Amino acid sequence: MAARRDFTSESLAAGVRAGDRRALARAITLVENSEPLAYELVRELYPETGRAYAVGITGPPGVGKSTLIGSLIRHVRAEERSVGVISVDPSSPFSHGALLGDRIRLADHFLDPEVFIRSMGTRGHLGGLAEATLQAMLLLDAAGKDLVFLETVGAGQGEVEVIAIADTVVLVLMPGSGDSIQALKAGIMEIPDVIAINKLDHPAAKTMLNEVRSVLALDTESAWKPPIVLTEATRGENVPELWEKVEEHRAFLESEGLLEEQRRRNLAGEVFAVASSRATAHLERAVADDPELRRLLDEVQSRQLDPLSAVREIMRKVFKVEGGDGTGAG
C-alpha cells in the first residue's frame, strides 16, 4: 500500500473504486480540507456515482440517532448490503474536528470491512459542510456502497442543507423531550419522509404519536404520507419495521418516477448553494479590498445611501451586473 504522502489522484481514484478504506479515508480528508486534489478526484469519479441510496437521519440532539443507525446497519448488513455513514457533528472549539463521542455507539461496526464510518465537523461554516458532505457521499457512492446514512446532530437550517442531499429522510423524535415538541412547532415536519419515535417504552410515547399524527394530518396535498414507527434503538425493537418504511418510500419514489427527478433537483440546488457561497465569499473579499465599496457601506450605515442603491453599485462593480434591485434594470 502506498504511503499517505505517495497517494496521487490516479492511485486514490483506483483505491476508492476498489473500496479501499485507507484511500477512502484520505479522499474524504482532502474533501474536508478543500484540497485541490479533492476536486480532481471527485471530477474523475463523478460519472460512476448515482448507485448508492442515501438515507438522512436527523432530529434534535440526544434522541438516539447514532444508536438507531447502529441498529439499522445491523439489519441491512444481515441482507449483505455495504454501508457508508457520514455523521455530521458540531466542531470541537479546540481542534475544529468532529467530536467523536456519539460514534462510540457505532463501534460494533468499525471492524466490518463493508461498513465505513466517518465523522465530519461543521468547522463553523454549515454552507461549506453541505458541500463537503455531498462530496464525501459521492466518494462513498463511487466506492460501491449500497447505502449511505447521513446523520446530523440537530434539526436547524444548516442540518436541513446537509439533509437535502438524501433520498429518504428519517426524523427521529423522543417522547418527553421539549426539543421534540419544538421540532414539531418549528415546521420541521415538512422535512421527513419517515418518522421514528424512539423510546417506545416511555409513558408519553403514544401521546407523542398522536401529536405527530395530528400535525401530519394538516397536509392534505402530499401524495406520500410519512409513516410513524415507534422504536427502541438500544434493543433494536421495530428497527426492521422502520427499515421497511424506508424501503416503501424508496419504492414509492421509483414507481412514481420521482427518485431521479428529486436527485436532479437536489444536485441543481447544491450547485446553486455552492455557487452562492463562493459568490458571497468573493463579494466580501472584493468589498474588503476596495475603499470605494467600503465607502458605500459606510454611507448606508450613516443613512446617507439606501441599501438597494448600494447593492446596485456593488453588483455593477464586482459582478458587472446592471441592476441590483431584482428587476435586472440598469
Side-chain angles (χ1 to χ4, degrees), residues 291 293-305:
L293 295 180
R294 285 205 309 278
R295 179 183 54 76
L296 288 173
L297 288 183
D298 291 339
E299 288 180 7
V300 171
Q301 288 158 352
S302 63
R303 300 193 182 271
Q304 294 173 270
L305 182 70

Side-chain angles (χ1 to χ4, degrees), residues 283 287 292-301 304-318 323-325:
L283 193 57
V287 172
E292 188 184 330
L293 295 180
R294 285 205 309 278
R295 179 183 54 76
L296 288 173
L297 288 183
D298 291 339
E299 288 180 7
V300 171
Q301 288 158 352
Q304 294 173 270
L305 182 70
D306 70 281
L308 279 185
S309 295
V311 168
R312 285 166 68 98
E313 285 302 312
I314 289 171
M315 293 295 283
R316 187 176 292 144
K317 181 146 191 188
V318 177
D325 55 3

